[in-house]
Amino acid sequence: MKVPVRLTALATLMAAALGAPPAFALDDGATAGRYVFVPNRGSADIAVIDTRTDRLVGRVNVGNVPHQVVVSDTLGKFVASNTKDNTISIVDLATLKTGATMRLDVEPEHMEISPNGWLLAVGNIGAGTVSLISLKENRELARVQGLFEPHNLTFSPDGSLLYVANLGANHVSVIDVAEASVINEIPVADPTALAARGGGDSAEFQGIINVTKTPDGRLGFAVHGESGALAVIDLRTQRRIKSLKLGHLPWRAYATADGRYMLVPNNGDGTVSVISTASLEVVATLPGAEDMTGVNTGWFETTAFVISRGEDKVVVLDLVEMRKVGEIALPQSPETGVVTPDGSKLYIALSGSNRVAVIDTRARKIVTMIEDVGEGPWGTSMGGGAINYCH
Amino acid sequence: MPAAGATDAAVDRLLAAVEAYASPGGALPGRVALRQRCGDDLLCAAVLIADAFDGRATVERVTHPDTDTIRWVNTRPSVRVLGRAADGAALIALDRFGRKAKRELRAALPAAAHVVLDLRANRGGDLDRMLEVAGLFTGRVDNALYLVGRNGRQARAIPATGPISGIARLTVVVGPQTASSAEMLAALLRRHARAEIAGDRTSGKDYLVRIFPVHHDWRLVLPAERVEIPGESLAGGLRPDRPAPELPPQ
């Protein structure tokens, strides 16, 4: 049963005084870092988990097949992308009421919030466009053409540029945000080479998944799957400053919170490349697993947790000793995860069992399973400075 | 709401990329001519560029992946296990070089002394994936083939993805639909895994194509490097060693 949640601080106090079960309220943006938001593809809602109790405390109905949730701490809102409906839902964090449902282009999937917290960029992957939306006014300001299956989006440190990872191409597109137009294309790899009759089956060719920025926002790491090439881009100047060759079929880069490393799972050979952001060199190649969909780091960035959907587990890597130290079995399709801002707990959505696994990053083990999160939990997101990603 | 599009700088970038990699039969249209005829219409520019390639270039519609295909949940199978021949040979069809082709083939290869690899329906695909498959049978081979094009002559190796032990005899079955990287695979296996090629002459497509994204829904596919395999000739099609054995219908 879906329960619409709309509570105020006063109601919370009254409920507590009367001995009723504690009511739920996200009181203000400062506590956004306390809650995990889980889009449920099957039940068309966003589950809200309190990380202090690891309990489900609320649900918000959104559109069909929600894909990702992003949080604006500045404005006290979160946004869910509803790929089946071609809409986004903008929800107030304090009341969990939907303030606006906006129709965009075909398959709005991944989103990114500008550094100042009020501009939202949405990649409409089915149309090759990017929508730029004011979260203050809840209004689409512009729709930029000329992208190639825009997957993930990354703002420059000052928010004036938007870097678009094109899944359907071998280059990163650069959008001038003020002009709302593509002003540059940065090649990451050579044009894809095929030995085939015609152009081959394009559906399974992996271009660029993401431009992953260092925590200081200065550098972006873009990986081209088919060629194994990685480009390091200066996000202030649009210059490609280094190219590297990684393993076979790399997925995308994941940043450690301290900015020291980028970790790239290579799905073609089951390894994980570790790149130093200081030297811009591969410093280690560690064992991974099949079909890796995410990497999270925690406990003072001593540990990396590599999520393997193909083998229903997490591979645990020690980033101090640079070696694999264990595995954690996860039942039924782990998808992506998020680590709390203090680095102590990792929340992973399990789409096949409708649960969220909670892992203690220091002990490197599961501490609890949160049941009945919803149908088909696809990912987890937090505010409060947590590093979020979506596959 | 304002909509923004590609500028004529995008046409310049497309032309520059084509000039760097492709091998046209005639002269490519110049920037001025393209701008005059097409403005900032990239699709128009792509069609005019393709005309310079003597019918060997195409402008194709892009097949977009769904969410599960992007994230590796859905992958069309590359391998079909056809059973066993009367002499006990393992019959396996490799129909394409999909994302997991190497993995599928490794799992499908049984402990059999004789393996028959059917490539009759394989119209080619990604060169690197084909080399990974070749490595299952050959182990690492340096300078296995050469790419000859605008950037000179570049050697490519077969990586050390194998060899899988226990295969004493390998037969590769080909036909007129066997094309490009599939016929290259057959040639490499004959050269480096002592395979016997059976069937009919292959397609004879001995060059790579390069993909140039033009628009979200369209791409330009142009001939680029020619492929040379020392000791083998792909031009006109690979010549088999003998006729095809009896096999289940495709």
Side-chain angles (χ1 to χ4, degrees):
Chain A
M1 179 177 73
K2 295 183 176 61
V3 178
V5 179
R6 189 182 73 191
L7 295 170
T8 63
L10 179 59
T12 306
L13 288 171
M14 288 181 64
L18 293 172
F24 166 68
L26 288 179
D27 44 358
D28 59 59
T31 61
R34 173 178 140 191
Y35 299 97
V36 173
F37 302 92
V38 184
N40 293 304
R41 285 213 296 181
S43 47
D45 57 23
I46 308 299
V48 186
I49 295 169
D50 187 335
T51 60
R52 293 189 309 185
T53 61
D54 285 337
R55 290 176 59 189
L56 197 64
V57 293
R59 282 186 199 285
V60 180
N61 295 331
V62 291
N64 286 307
V65 192
H67 191 89
Q68 185 189 16
V69 171
V70 292
V71 180
S72 171
D73 295 321
T74 309
L75 297 179
K77 299 180 180 181
F78 79 73
V79 185
S81 56
N82 311 307
T83 54
K84 186 100 187 287
D85 295 348
N86 299 334
T87 62
I88 57 170
S89 302
I90 302 175
V91 179
D92 183 88
L93 276 175
T95 63
L96 292 185
K97 285 184 69 173
T98 300
T101 300
M102 298 175 59
R103 181 163 296 278
L104 301 182
D105 213 334
V106 181
E107 289 184 76
E109 204 176 67
H110 293 119
M111 305 175 284
E112 181 79 354
I113 292 181
S114 64
N116 65 8
W118 68 263
L119 185 69
L120 176 72
V122 184
N124 301 300
I125 195 169
T129 62
V130 168
S131 295
L132 298 174
I133 293 154
S134 165
L135 288 179
K136 281 188 179 178
E137 302 169 26
N138 289 347
R139 181 170 70 89
E140 185 173 11
L141 301 173
R143 191 172 293 176
V144 183
Q145 314 282 332
L147 294 313
F148 303 85
E149 293 164 9
H151 199 254
N152 276 312
L153 312 150
T154 305
F155 279 97
S156 60
D158 64 359
S160 65
L161 301 173
L162 182 67
Y163 291 82
V164 182
N166 292 303
L167 182 70
N170 58 313
H171 63 263
V172 169
S173 297
V174 186
I175 293 174
D176 182 306
V177 174
E179 296 294 322
S181 66
V182 175
I183 59 167
N184 194 8
E185 291 173 345
I186 304 172
V188 175
D190 294 337
T192 301
L194 289 181
R197 276 252 165 258
D201 184 353
S202 55
E204 286 194 17
F205 281 89
Q206 181 189 315
I208 303 166
I209 293 291
N210 193 52
V211 180
T212 306
K213 60 185 174 187
T214 48
D216 62 7
R218 193 171 58 88
L219 299 179
F221 290 71
V223 170
H224 182 254
E226 290 305 320
S227 65
L230 178 145
V232 184
I233 301 168
D234 186 318
L235 297 180
R236 300 161 300 181
T237 64
Q238 307 175 46
R239 256 187 349 112
R240 186 177 68 183
I241 60 175
K242 184 96 186 243
S243 294
L244 293 173
K245 191 82 162 78
L246 301 179
H248 194 223
L249 279 172
W251 181 240
R252 53 154 283 179
Y254 298 85
T256 58
D258 59 9
R260 283 188 306 157
Y261 299 117
M262 288 283 171
L263 294 104
V264 182
N266 303 299
N267 276 323
D269 58 27
T271 63
V272 178
S273 300
V274 183
I275 299 146
S276 162
T277 59
S279 66
L280 301 183
E281 298 287 346
V282 177
V283 296
T285 301
L286 302 177
E290 285 191 13
D291 297 350
M292 295 170 280
T293 52
V295 180
N296 297 87
T297 55
W299 198 249
F300 302 102
E301 307 308 285
T302 60
T303 309
F305 299 87
V306 182
I307 299 172
S308 166
R309 179 210 260 138
E311 296 185 48
D312 286 344
K313 68 184 180 186
V314 162
V315 174
V316 184
L317 305 176
D318 187 306
L319 294 181
V320 175
E321 298 180 12
M322 284 296 171
R323 65 184 182 94
K324 176 180 172 181
V325 292
E327 297 182 355
I328 304 171
L330 289 173
Q332 295 182 290
S333 296
E335 299 293 345
T336 63
V338 67
V339 171
T340 52
D342 66 1
S344 65
K345 291 201 288 187
L346 166 61
Y347 292 77
I348 298 177
L350 308 178
S351 65
S353 57
N354 297 336
R355 296 187 272 181
V356 168
V358 186
I359 293 174
D360 182 311
T361 60
R362 181 183 187 184
R364 299 169 175 173
K365 64 179 185 179
I366 296 173
V367 292
T368 192
M369 284 284 190
I370 304 172
E371 303 282 343
D372 298 322
V373 171
E375 290 177 35
W378 192 239
T380 51
S381 299
M382 296 185 74
I387 295 179
N388 294 291
Y389 65 88
C390 186
H391 54 348
Chain B
M1 137 212 356
T7 65
D8 51 10
V11 174
D12 288 348
R13 284 195 290 270
L14 175 63
L15 193 57
V18 170
E19 288 170 343
Y21 291 99
S23 303
L28 286 171
R31 283 166 178 73
V32 172
L34 281 179
R35 287 194 194 181
Q36 283 176 343
R37 292 186 62 179
C38 300
D40 62 0
D41 186 339
L42 268 176
L43 196 53
C44 168
V47 171
L48 290 179
I49 290 171
D51 286 345
F53 284 84
D54 301 331
R56 294 180 298 145
T58 56
V59 178
E60 295 182 347
R61 186 170 276 280
V62 174
T63 307
H64 296 297
D66 60 22
T67 288
D68 285 345
T69 298
I70 295 170
R71 277 157 271 281
W72 290 66
V73 176
N74 290 340
T75 299
R76 281 199 299 124
S78 300
V79 169
R80 287 180 295 128
V81 177
L82 305 177
R84 294 269 182 167
D87 64 355
L91 309 175
I92 297 172
L94 177 64
D95 295 329
R96 56 192 289 270
F97 296 102
R99 188 182 274 168
K100 299 186 181 182
K102 178 191 68 177
R103 201 185 301 176
E104 287 179 55
L105 192 55
R106 187 193 296 274
L109 285 170
H114 183 193
V115 171
V116 176
L117 188 65
D118 186 355
L119 299 180
R120 289 176 296 165
N122 194 319
R123 295 163 66 83
D126 184 80
L127 187 74
D128 285 332
R129 292 179 193 171
M130 179 278 288
L131 290 172
E132 297 257 321
V133 166
L136 293 175
F137 300 97
T138 66
R140 182 173 178 88
V141 178
D142 290 321
N143 304 322
L145 59 79
Y146 293 84
L147 305 182
V148 182
R150 278 183 176 259
N151 299 313
R153 196 163 187 262
Q154 299 175 349
R156 297 295 303 275
I158 298 174
T161 49
I164 294 172
S165 61
I167 301 175
R169 184 181 166 198
L170 178 62
T171 301
V172 180
V173 185
V174 298
Q177 300 299 317
T178 308
S180 209
S181 58
E183 45 193 333
M184 294 171 198
L185 174 64
L188 288 171
L189 294 181
R190 178 159 67 184
R191 187 67 22 203
H192 301 291
R194 300 196 314 274
E196 176 187 51
I197 297 180
D200 299 305
R201 202 149 186 171
T202 62
S203 175
K205 185 170 179 293
D206 62 348
Y207 58 91
L208 300 185
V209 295
R210 292 271 181 180
I211 310 294
F212 300 88
V214 171
H215 179 271
H216 177 70
D217 291 320
W218 296 95
R219 60 187 192 173
L220 181 57
V221 182
L222 299 178
E225 297 94 331
R226 192 167 46 80
V227 176
E228 292 179 354
I229 297 176
E232 296 283 346
S233 175
L234 296 173
L238 205 60
R239 197 190 297 271
D241 300 310
R242 66 173 178 86
E246 280 292 320
L247 287 172
Q250 291 178 265

